Amino acid sequence: SIGILSDITSRKKLEEDHRRYVEEIALSRDMLEQHAYEMVELNLKLEESEEKLKELNANKDRFFSIIAHDLRSPFTTLIGYTELLKDDFEDISRDELKEAIDTIHATSRRIYNLLENLLSWARMQTGRMPFQPLKLDLFYICNDIINLFQENAKLKGINLSLESEKNAFVFADKNMVDTIIRNLISNALKFTPSGKSIVLSTKKLDKFI
């Protein structure tokens, strides 16, 4: 018998190293693909966040522009009437004084209303506006809002009225309902021509108002 032996230890080691390198390359490729996928998702989220931030900033700028514009008018009224009272106090009749006080009061309520809108908007943007539903009579909420905007409507020559009966009960958050109706009336006054009418009314539909 003739036997020939050959040492293939080195070749087996090379084959093992080659197999391990191939597995590592495949693993690295999978990790790279996963990282690439995560980077794409991250970029999409960043782009979406950037768009939302732009939209939020645009809304903020638009909102503050409206607030600044709407505050200028009532402050002009306040300054005018207080200057009148200061300069001509001795010559003002009791009726004129009562009218000036009523106007100052109504104008102050308008400014308060605008500031309430600003605070409500700020709370909504930060998600801190609590929801606290209660049993409410819409008549009194609507009546207060009509009285709040009545002076503004008169200055623009618009007839602002309420058509609602008492006991129009709803289960809702007072601040949210008040904010919504005030914004609707404010927009209606802004876009209604002089000489026209705005009617705020309530109507019962089954279990809803």
Side-chain angles (χ1 to χ4, degrees), residues 80-151:
Y81 271 92
T82 51
E83 284 182 350
L84 177 67
L85 293 173
K86 178 174 67 71
D87 297 336
D88 302 326
F89 182 78
E90 299 295 335
D91 301 323
I92 296 176
S93 67
R94 189 176 182 85
D95 290 339
E96 290 173 332
L97 182 61
K98 176 68 166 58
E99 181 184 352
I101 292 173
D102 288 343
T103 301
I104 290 173
H105 175 72
T107 304
S108 300
R109 290 285 303 273
R110 282 185 60 204
I111 295 173
Y112 177 79
N113 169 58
L114 289 169
L115 292 177
E116 278 290 301
N117 280 345
L118 178 61
L119 291 173
S120 296
W121 180 85
R123 285 195 293 266
M124 283 188 291
Q125 297 305 311
T126 55
R128 290 184 296 142
M129 193 171 189
F131 177 60
Q132 298 173 333
L134 300 168
K135 185 179 180 181
L136 308 171
D137 191 341
L138 272 184
F139 171 81
Y140 292 104
I141 294 177
C142 293
N143 192 56
D144 287 344
I145 293 171
I146 291 295
N147 291 332
L148 177 65
F149 285 101
Q150 200 61 256
E151 187 64 28

Side-chain angles (χ1 to χ4, degrees), residues 49-100:
S49 299
E50 186 178 3
E51 288 300 319
K52 288 182 178 179
L53 184 59
K54 287 180 180 178
E55 182 181 355
L56 182 61
N57 283 331
N59 288 337
K60 181 197 67 176
D61 293 341
R62 191 181 307 114
F63 183 80
F64 280 115
S65 176
I66 293 170
I67 287 292
H69 178 270
D70 288 351
L71 279 175
R72 189 178 296 114
S73 176
F75 269 114
T76 301
T77 303
L78 275 181
I79 293 170
Y81 271 92
T82 51
E83 284 182 350
L84 177 67
L85 293 173
K86 178 174 67 71
D87 297 336
D88 302 326
F89 182 78
E90 299 295 335
D91 301 323
I92 296 176
S93 67
R94 189 176 182 85
D95 290 339
E96 290 173 332
L97 182 61
K98 176 68 166 58
E99 181 184 352

Side-chain angles (χ1 to χ4, degrees), residues 172-191:
D173 184 285
K174 184 179 184 302
N175 289 328
M176 293 182 180
V177 170
D178 190 74
T179 299
I180 290 168
I181 298 176
R182 278 190 283 116
N183 285 335
L184 289 172
I185 296 298
S186 177
N187 287 336
L189 286 169
K190 188 176 298 182
F191 297 106

